[in-house]
Amino acid sequence: MGGALSGRWSWHTKRPTVEESRTLDLSKLKRDGAFYPGCTGSVRWLRGETEISSIAYTVGQQEGDLVLTLHYKVTRTGEDVTIPVRLETTRPRFGGVRWWGRCACGRRVGKLYLPDAETRFACRQCHGLTYASAQEHDKRVDALRKNPDALMAMLSDVPGNLSNANLLLALKASFAERKRWGI
């Protein structure tokens, strides 16, 4: 057991990640001064110095609310896409204003994503996106979880002798155990 190609990942493909998708960060648009009626602009995605895609946007008012309208053309299909995103604000506890957009599904989001295989910007849940870190697995953490004595020995090591990497590994295993047992 545990030989080459013995893992389950070959049985299915991994879910697409937010890191692989084009991300439209609404708070960045706000910082750039885009959220006032009549504002127009564009957002570009680069790979190195080469532009890989871009969208145009306009901000208007509809029924008293600000609406960010995204305009772009899907290169592989030639489809012209227009997506209205209703903008909302909340007031954080310690002051200021936080801006949100409403996805087509109704969720309030701070970022919208466009994976390579899709044609519409939407939230992470609509596209079934996950984070790359959720798909990573550290076998050393499993080994420490299965052997609590080794974990305790690592944690009780003299702080001067414990490297940063080993400390991080021990903390990951410790937190994983606490989460597992609801501590």
Side-chain angles (χ1 to χ4, degrees):
M1 291 186 67
L5 301 173
S6 65
R8 287 194 201 178
W9 283 113
S10 61
W11 295 358
H12 59 85
T13 57
K14 290 185 177 182
R15 288 172 53 187
T17 64
V18 297
E19 292 85 359
E20 298 167 343
S21 304
R22 287 160 188 78
T23 303
L24 182 64
D25 187 348
L26 298 179
S27 62
K28 182 177 179 340
L29 285 178
K30 174 57 183 162
R31 283 192 305 273
D32 293 345
F35 291 169
Y36 63 88
C39 179
T40 61
S42 64
V43 178
R44 300 178 334 148
W45 286 270
L46 304 174
R47 184 171 291 133
E49 296 292 319
T50 308
E51 181 177 302
I52 56 171
S53 62
S54 65
I55 63 168
Y57 65 84
T58 58
V59 177
Q61 281 195 311
Q62 191 177 49
E63 300 172 10
D65 293 331
L66 283 181
V67 176
L68 172 71
T69 306
L70 308 176
H71 310 278
Y72 57 95
K73 184 175 206 157
V74 180
T75 307
R76 71 178 176 276
T77 64
E79 176 186 7
D80 285 321
V81 179
T82 301
I83 300 175
V85 179
R86 187 169 303 277
L87 299 174
E88 300 177 0
T89 59
T90 57
R91 298 213 174 267
R93 186 174 185 173
F94 296 109
V97 174
R98 185 168 295 145
W99 285 83
W100 304 94
R102 283 279 172 193
C103 179
C105 69
R107 285 187 177 91
R108 186 173 68 183
V109 296
K111 294 180 181 182
L112 295 169
Y113 301 96
L114 180 65
D116 287 336
E118 299 293 334
T119 59
R120 304 233 184 267
F121 275 90
C123 68
R124 190 173 64 86
Q125 288 83 4
C126 285
H127 286 306
L129 298 175
T130 183
Y131 296 103
S133 62
Q135 296 180 8
E136 296 170 357
H137 184 75
D138 192 346
K139 292 181 180 178
R140 299 172 303 167
V141 173
D142 280 348
L144 287 173
R145 286 179 61 202
K146 291 177 183 174
N147 187 352
D149 294 333
L151 175 61
M152 291 310 295
M154 187 178 278
L155 288 173
S156 65
D157 196 3
V158 178
N161 295 335
L162 195 60
S163 71
N164 287 342
N166 284 342
L167 178 61
L168 181 62
L169 180 64
L171 288 174
K172 279 175 87 176
S174 176
F175 287 136
E177 274 303 293
R178 287 174 168 239
K179 186 176 180 182
R180 179 178 172 203
W181 295 105
I183 300 173

